Amino acid sequence: MIVMKFGGTSVGSGQRIAQLGRIVAAVAAERNAPPVVVVSAMSGVTDSLVRAAQTAAAGDGRTYTLVRDELQQRHEQAIADCGIGPEPARGLRAEVTGLLDWFETLCQSMHTLGELTPRGLDVVSGLGERLSARLTVAALLGQDIPAQMVEATEIIVTTDRFGGAQPLFEETTARARARVLPLVEAGIAPVVTGFIAATIDGVPTTLGRGGSDYSATILARCLPADEVWIWTDVDGVMTADPRIVPEARTLPGISFGEVAELSYFGAKVLHPQTIAPIVDAGIPVRVLNSLHPERPGTLVSQRVVGAPVVKGITAIRDLSLITVEGRGMQGVPGVAGRVFSAVARSGANILMITQSSSEQSICFVVRTVDARAAVDALQAEFDRELGRQDIHRIGRDDEASIVAVVGAGMRGRPGIAAAVFGALAEAEINIISIAQGSSEYNLSLVVTNGDVDLAVRAIHHRFQLAEALATPDPEQEGVLR
Ligand code: ASP
Ligand code: MG
């Protein structure tokens, strides 16, 4: 069984929804069983819904009505374009209107109350999936593909942490199996609303922004499925951001661990939380382009594929490097503990840490927006030491970026760091600080914001990633021909 999720752009218009139907039909024919389909809202819709609710609660009585009109138009256009007959189109328009009436009523009451609770926001922000799933079912039926709508609120059970609820696997497994398996066995494709869920008492929740991927992996684990396919608008996981490195390539395979490192360091790929439900179960994920379903995409699995050694290069910008320096720190236990406790109390998240072995300085990196609070907290904590000159400086360097080089094959392999540093030296880029996690899956370097793009390109070039992946592996076939 395959669980396939279609992201916002893959359901972004009537034409795209019709294309979704062709993909589902091809997979169903090839595998002799329909996939379980999970859909996102049409691209941009969730943002509009959230904006409408927030402005309504803030006293703006107009924006939500404009959003309503815009959503009505957008969905009606999609109904006109998704290739269904006049009769089902009429029914569908009535359903869309009903849901949007409900949306307006909700916003109106937020406007009257002047209040938006996280619980209320989940009800409103989840409407986009309820709309897109209805269109998807109609389009599938229009292509003679048996399909049925399944509201995720009936099958995915979560905690009541609104805006970022956590799945309760036992309850979800029972409900999902009871509702979804009979449909699949009868040859009917279940179409499940992504992103939304409900508490055990049936109160609607959401899984957090971008949560439709999470819906897919939760279902895959519970049913269980053999694979998860994420249909998106790029060819898969890439070696670098193609806007920075035009010759960036799609990776045929990558491990869960590698993808987690890439996402931690800023690449917009599968979030570690998203893949958590399926990692232990060993259920692989394919990332595929719904505009080019014949392309192989990227297979994300437990397996570490050897080549290329470096899988990806990524960057996070607008960071600050904070340095605590002083001779009085040497051999004094507890200084690092106090540094990081103070920073934690300030609310700043630390992205990278280095300490020189002379123990005379500790450096770490936070987002620039958090830097001031972190430095203030350190100054308060080390007031006495600063007075005695045991610590002589708490420095802050803005305009820093982290460049991360990721690949499990780097582990225990000499020469990788040398190649990275060589590439940067040749490009005359100054490295401010370096860290390597003990997993050896990634090497992180701090450079100035102005050098980031050049650094990513230089490293990509040095490892010849474009050349290494220029010709697709003949063993790696597209999922659809
Ligand atoms: N529609 C939701 C969002 O935009 C969930 C998703 O697209 O995955 O956050
Ligand atoms: Mg989305």
Side-chain angles (χ1 to χ4, degrees):
M1 187 175 4
I2 310 289
V3 172
M4 47 174 69
K5 175 253 171 175
F6 290 85
T9 48
S10 298
V11 294
S13 67
Q15 288 86 351
R16 297 298 293 265
I17 295 175
Q19 164 77 352
L20 175 163
R22 289 188 285 276
I23 291 173
V24 170
V27 173
E30 213 170 82
R31 304 200 150 233
N32 237 327
V36 177
V37 177
V38 175
V39 290
S40 287
M42 294 178 78
S43 49
V45 167
T46 312
D47 287 336
S48 299
L49 293 167
V50 169
R51 186 164 46 93
Q54 284 171 342
T55 52
D60 169 356
R62 191 169 141 75
T63 300
Y64 73 86
T65 62
L66 297 178
V67 167
R68 191 245 151 94
D69 292 345
E70 172 199 304
L71 293 179
Q72 183 99 35
Q73 253 181 28
R74 173 109 185 260
H75 287 87
E76 284 191 9
Q77 188 63 49
I79 293 171
D81 295 337
C82 72
I84 60 175
E87 195 50 44
R90 200 167 312 126
L92 202 49
R93 271 199 301 271
E95 281 193 78
V96 166
T97 303
L99 280 171
L100 290 177
D101 284 347
W102 166 232
F103 159 73
E104 235 185 304
T105 308
L106 287 167
C107 288
Q108 207 166 38
S109 60
M110 288 165 183
H111 182 238
T112 310
L113 290 170
E115 184 185 56
L116 176 59
T117 61
R119 177 172 166 165
L121 183 59
D122 274 1
V123 175
V124 171
S125 64
L127 277 168
E129 275 72 10
R130 302 183 60 200
L131 292 163
S132 63
R134 283 166 169 78
L135 265 66
T136 301
V137 171
L140 291 173
L141 295 175
Q143 293 180 30
D144 292 325
I145 306 159
Q148 198 181 103
M149 162 99 190
V150 176
E151 296 274 4
T153 44
E154 291 173 42
I155 58 171
I156 299 184
V157 184
T158 65
T159 61
D160 64 358
R161 205 173 89 198
F162 299 104
Q166 288 299 318
L168 302 175
F169 284 104
E170 229 171 275
E171 291 82 353
T172 304
T173 300
R175 293 197 196 181
R177 284 186 185 165
R179 178 80 175 91
V180 170
L181 296 183
L183 291 177
V184 174
E185 272 152 29
I188 300 167
V191 177
V192 185
T193 47
F195 180 49
I196 60 178
T199 66
I200 196 93
D201 303 321
V203 180
T205 57
T206 64
L207 299 166
R209 292 306 309 271
S212 297
D213 289 348
Y214 201 18
S215 309
T217 60
I218 292 167
L219 285 178
R221 159 153 164 193
C222 292
L223 289 170
D226 301 305
E227 286 188 10
V228 177
W229 294 6
I230 306 269
W231 292 99
T232 173
D233 54 357
V234 293
D235 284 345
V237 181
M238 300 193 76
T239 51
D241 183 340
R243 287 166 303 184
I244 299 173
V245 185
E247 69 271 22
R249 290 283 145 85
T250 306
L251 291 157
I254 187 167
S255 69
F256 288 127
E258 289 169 320
V259 107
E261 296 272 356
L262 281 179
S263 121
Y264 180 77
F265 287 105
K268 270 179 79 191
V269 291
L270 299 167
H271 191 276
Q273 185 196 33
T274 293
I275 49 179
I278 54 173
V279 171
D280 293 337
I283 300 171
V285 181
R286 285 179 200 278
V287 182
L288 299 157
N289 187 339
S290 64
L291 278 174
H292 295 285
E294 73 290 351
R295 296 189 183 159
T298 300
L299 180 65
V300 188
S301 67
Q302 276 170 329
R303 221 174 59 132
V304 171
V305 191
V309 171
V310 166
K311 294 289 199 319
I313 301 140
T314 174
I316 322 184
R317 281 154 226 271
D318 300 321
L319 307 175
S320 296
L321 182 75
I322 295 178
T323 314
V324 180
E325 265 175 286
R327 266 179 288 282
M329 290 166 58
Q330 206 168 352
V332 181
V335 175
R338 285 171 60 201
V339 167
F340 297 125
S341 303
V343 175
R345 278 196 304 276
S346 80
N349 180 34
I350 296 176
L351 289 107
M352 171 179 153
I353 300 169
T354 54
Q355 181 183 33
S356 66
S357 60
S358 72
E359 296 180 37
Q360 294 196 13
S361 77
I362 296 176
C363 298
F364 58 91
V365 177
V366 298
R367 293 192 192 277
T368 298
V369 290
D370 295 332
R372 172 135 188 218
V375 169
D376 288 350
L378 288 170
Q379 249 143 10
E381 174 70 32
F382 291 106
D383 190 37
R384 241 185 341 156
E385 287 82 353
L386 283 162
R388 286 201 306 252
Q389 287 283 301
D390 284 344
I391 288 178
H392 70 263
R393 194 173 84 101
I394 295 175
R396 162 181 170 185
D397 261 319
D398 291 343
E399 316 240 325
S401 293
I402 295 178
V403 172
V405 184
V406 172
M410 290 158 56
R411 178 183 213 142
R413 191 179 174 117
I416 302 285
V420 170
F421 300 146
L424 296 184
E426 227 165 82
E428 296 185 1
I429 293 169
N430 180 38
I431 303 172
I432 301 166
S433 177
I434 303 164
Q436 180 178 41
S438 63
S439 74
E440 295 182 42
Y441 273 30
N442 101 70
L443 182 65
S444 310
L445 317 162
V446 178
V447 299
T448 65
N449 279 341
D451 283 341
V452 179
D453 289 0
L454 192 57
V456 172
R457 279 196 285 271
I459 300 167
H460 198 275
H461 183 72
R462 171 60 64 105
F463 286 96
Q464 299 203 305
L465 293 180
E467 292 77 2
L469 296 168
T471 38
D473 181 350
E475 302 211 332
Q476 184 85 17
E477 273 182 14
V479 290
L480 296 173
R481 271 148 296 230

